[in-house]
Amino acid sequence: MSAVFSKPSLLQRVKPLFQGFDVPLLLAMAWLMGLGLMCMYSAGYDHGTRFVDHARNMVLAMGVLFVTAQVPPQRLMQLALPLYGIGVTLLIAVALFGITKKGATRWLYVGTQIQPSELLKIAVPLMLAWWFQKREGQLRLPDFIAAFVLLAVPVGLIAKQPDLGTSLLVLGAGLYVIFFAGLSWKLIIPAMLLAGAGITTLVFSEDQICQPDVKWVVLKDYQKDRVCTLLDPTKDPLGKGFHIIQGEIAIGSGGVTGKGFMKGTQTHLEFIPERTTDFIFAAYGEEFGLIGAAGLLIGFTALILRGLAIAHEAPTLFSRLLAGAITLSFFTYVFVNMGMVTGILPVVGVPLPFISYGGTAMVTLGLSLGMLMSIAKSRGGTQR
């Protein structure tokens, strides 16, 4: 008597790889990717191969997301310490042997040119989530102090390059983990009040502290110029204030409905600097107006709310902390990018997720969302 074994079809073999994917999260991503491709086609169709490259980067990011989503949170946790160690080591190597461009030493040559600070956007929240998972049930003040030290090392190394934008993103991701781990409001509220007092003082003393002969202790001269330009961009409308002024003009001229797809005059007459990268929201606002901007914000809001829901339902402390930090990091990206384009924050190099052009940023985005998707899959008992 011979036994007959049925060979599973290709669909049967592939189907388990897609089980557990969070559909609402995928829908929010699809909406944002569609808006990003549409905006990039308009802003970058006459800007080399930006549109084609942007689409390629999205495909690559989705591939990274799919692969990362197959890695269960337990395995991600095992990667935390090695990734953090490698990342900090590479940052030290950048400080010693890095490549300098335009006064900033941010890159390292290891057969190809890399920017190690991008790795820390992932490694820092992973490391801190791992740390608090190991200390679960016995958290004390020294544990939080140790977490701040783990955060301060890479942030300090990145800020020294100098790269204020990336250092703020890494700092934000780490602070989100520490906050979700249970940092007392007794420490948070005084820090917020101090920050508010500092900003108020800065605004009302702008005429005195922004004089050329006044040196700021913490920030470099170009960083001081960015803050002072934010406070009054009209002092140098054709120089340091040009980005902010043109961004505001473009968004304001879009009105409620916008000028129409591929009809943005500020965009296509080259008045908007970096119109496919950091200032792409100005090009988007000009062509699609308030209604288009609302549609974009709805997409980001849906993604963030869904990410927070995934964090809330995650099965372990590590998963909850990591999912929460990843989700609120998207809020940081969106708030900082839109804030600098609309003139409420200083100009820093922070891309708008899915919308701005950039291969490294897009891959990092896919990796982050892949980890979030992995955590979403683990809720359904598919963790391995």
Side-chain angles (χ1 to χ4, degrees), residues 51-288:
F51 172 74
V52 174
D53 291 344
H54 193 56
R56 178 206 63 203
N57 293 337
M58 281 189 177
V59 172
L60 180 59
M62 291 306 295
V64 171
L65 182 152
F66 177 77
V67 172
T68 306
Q70 309 307 319
V71 182
Q74 295 92 332
R75 300 268 178 87
L76 292 175
M77 186 174 170
Q78 293 171 2
L79 295 173
L81 193 57
L83 281 178
Y84 180 85
I86 292 170
V88 171
T89 301
L90 289 175
L91 288 179
I92 295 172
V94 168
L96 298 175
F97 320 109
I99 300 170
T100 301
K101 296 180 182 179
K102 298 181 180 180
T105 307
R106 303 175 185 173
W107 299 270
L108 194 65
Y109 187 79
V110 289
T112 185
Q113 189 171 292
I114 63 171
Q115 188 174 350
S117 58
E118 289 292 329
L119 176 62
L120 273 302
K121 293 178 182 178
I122 302 297
V124 165
L126 265 175
M127 180 64 190
L128 291 175
W130 172 88
W131 169 254
F132 285 115
Q133 175 70 59
K134 293 296 183 183
R135 308 300 299 167
E136 184 179 15
Q138 51 184 346
L139 280 175
R140 300 291 185 272
L141 181 59
D143 299 315
F144 283 99
I145 294 174
F148 276 109
V149 172
L150 289 171
L151 175 59
V153 171
V155 169
L157 289 170
I158 295 170
K160 193 175 183 301
Q161 293 178 350
D163 188 351
L164 182 60
T166 303
S167 66
L168 289 176
L169 292 175
V170 174
L171 176 65
L175 289 177
Y176 292 140
V177 177
I178 296 173
F179 170 74
F180 284 126
L183 186 66
S184 173
W185 282 101
K186 294 179 181 179
L187 298 176
I188 297 174
I189 292 177
M192 293 175 64
L193 292 175
L194 185 62
I199 293 172
T200 303
T201 302
L202 185 67
V203 171
F204 284 100
S205 60
E206 180 259 336
D207 288 338
Q208 291 76 35
I209 64 176
C210 286
Q211 296 301 320
D213 57 337
V214 176
K215 295 292 183 182
W216 290 15
V217 178
V218 179
L219 301 182
K220 296 182 180 293
D221 287 341
Y222 83 93
Q223 294 169 336
K224 168 196 168 186
D225 290 339
R226 286 181 178 180
V227 176
C228 292
T229 299
L230 169 69
L231 295 175
D232 188 4
T234 59
K235 284 188 176 180
D236 190 6
L238 298 179
K240 299 181 180 69
F242 187 77
H243 286 64
I244 296 176
I245 292 173
Q246 294 304 320
E248 291 176 347
I249 291 174
I251 294 173
S253 66
V256 176
T257 59
K259 295 178 180 177
F261 181 56
M262 299 181 69
K263 295 180 180 179
T265 52
Q266 293 291 117
T267 300
H268 297 295
L269 293 177
E270 302 285 350
F271 282 101
I272 302 176
E274 309 296 338
R275 60 188 168 107
T276 61
T277 52
D278 293 344
F279 272 72
I280 196 168
F281 180 65
Y284 181 92
E286 181 186 23
E287 295 195 346
F288 303 106

Side-chain angles (χ1 to χ4, degrees), residues 13-21 64-79 315-316 318-319 370-371 373-384:
R13 283 179 287 175
V14 172
K15 187 178 179 180
L17 298 177
F18 291 91
Q19 287 180 343
F21 273 67
V64 171
L65 182 152
F66 177 77
V67 172
T68 306
Q70 309 307 319
V71 182
Q74 295 92 332
R75 300 268 178 87
L76 292 175
M77 186 174 170
Q78 293 171 2
L79 295 173
T316 66
F318 171 81
S319 298
M371 292 192 293
M373 194 66 74
S374 168
I375 295 168
K377 292 177 68 175
S378 73
R379 297 174 305 164
T382 59
Q383 54 189 327
R384 298 181 288 275

Side-chain angles (χ1 to χ4, degrees), residues 344-365:
I344 64 173
L345 291 175
V347 176
V348 292
V350 174
L352 188 61
F354 296 107
I355 314 298
S356 295
Y357 175 84
T360 303
M362 191 68 76
V363 170
T364 304
L365 182 69

